[in-house]
Amino acid sequence: MSTSGIVSFYQGIAPTLVPNMDLQEIFRHSLRVTPGSLVLALVFGAVAAGLFLLDVYLPVGGGLYLEPSEIFVTLGSALTGPIGGLIIGFLQGIVYAPERNVPSHMLAGFLWGLWYAVLWVRTRDRPNGKVIRILCWMITIPVYYYVLLLPLHQFIYATVTLQAAFIPTYLATAHQVIPEVIGTILATGILLVFLIDRYAKPVNWR
């Protein structure tokens, strides 16, 4: 995806936030990598990969499970920026079926890191900025799953692994991740509530 395409994407979904920095400037600044953001990305990626590798999950009934590694992918990408998201996505995806998990998680991690940077910059100087930021975060978590992560993941799975049609495969999977979506919304939302602004700021912006 080109720079102009990414900027247009965020202009479309965040028109009501306070325009105190140009979106292209946010994009350029977000690509910075600092020693802190690199180390934190490796930590988040290792935890996400470890949870997946150890098959840590919570049964929620009906044959559905809450798999918690995406909590660390989404939150880690937010706090370390899009390049951190690439690292975390790679580490999480490499442990199982990397042919579909690596590209889908790297794409989702990269774009999610950009999205949180937009949220941070556009809400940091508002009186109720933290509340607005967390609400926007929680409302858009389904976008992470159903727009950024699952389409590419299921496209590769359907066309390469199963040699089946993409749409039916995507739809069959979509309802299975509902517990995970809800769990990620609640867990990351609660963590962001208790995270003071100093640490809620992306590390590569400090």
Side-chain angles (χ1 to χ4, degrees):
M1 184 179 291
S2 65
T3 300
S4 59
I6 294 173
V7 170
S8 298
F9 172 77
Y10 288 114
Q11 285 176 330
I13 60 178
T16 61
L17 300 176
V18 178
N20 56 0
M21 182 181 284
D22 181 79
L23 288 175
Q24 291 186 353
E25 187 178 353
I26 296 174
F27 175 76
R28 289 192 298 268
H29 194 106
S30 295
L31 296 181
R32 291 179 57 208
V33 178
T34 65
S37 67
L38 178 59
V39 170
L40 195 60
L42 291 172
V43 171
F44 271 98
V47 173
L51 290 171
F52 198 91
L53 188 63
L54 295 173
D55 202 23
V56 176
Y57 61 86
L58 299 174
V60 294
L64 300 177
Y65 300 93
L66 194 162
E67 198 275 299
S69 68
E70 296 298 339
I71 294 170
F72 293 89
V73 178
T74 53
L75 196 58
S77 298
L79 297 179
T80 62
I83 303 303
L86 287 176
I87 296 170
I88 296 168
F90 175 81
L91 292 175
Q92 200 276 355
I94 199 68
V95 298
Y96 174 74
E99 72 281 355
R100 61 179 183 267
N101 276 309
V102 166
S104 60
H105 278 91
M106 289 181 71
L107 173 68
F110 181 84
L111 293 177
W112 201 246
L114 282 177
W115 169 232
Y116 184 77
V118 172
L119 283 181
W120 169 260
V121 171
R122 296 299 178 88
T123 61
R124 61 185 175 181
D125 296 325
R126 297 190 62 158
N128 298 316
K130 182 174 182 177
V131 174
I132 296 171
R133 183 166 63 249
I134 293 173
L135 287 176
C136 288
W137 167 277
M138 296 175 71
I139 291 170
T140 55
I141 283 289
V143 174
Y144 170 83
Y145 280 92
Y146 292 113
V147 178
L148 303 181
L149 180 64
L150 274 184
L152 180 57
H153 182 280
Q154 292 303 106
F155 177 79
I156 297 172
Y157 183 53
T159 58
V160 176
T161 306
L162 299 180
Q163 296 185 344
F166 162 66
I167 297 297
T169 305
Y170 175 85
L171 294 178
T173 306
H175 80 282
Q176 297 176 4
V177 301
I178 291 176
E180 189 173 325
V181 174
I182 295 173
T184 300
I185 290 172
L186 294 176
T188 57
I190 291 170
L191 288 170
L192 288 174
V193 166
F194 289 102
L195 199 62
I196 62 175
D197 280 352
R198 176 184 175 185
Y199 297 110
K201 182 179 182 179
V203 177
N204 61 328
W205 283 73
R206 298 175 192 171

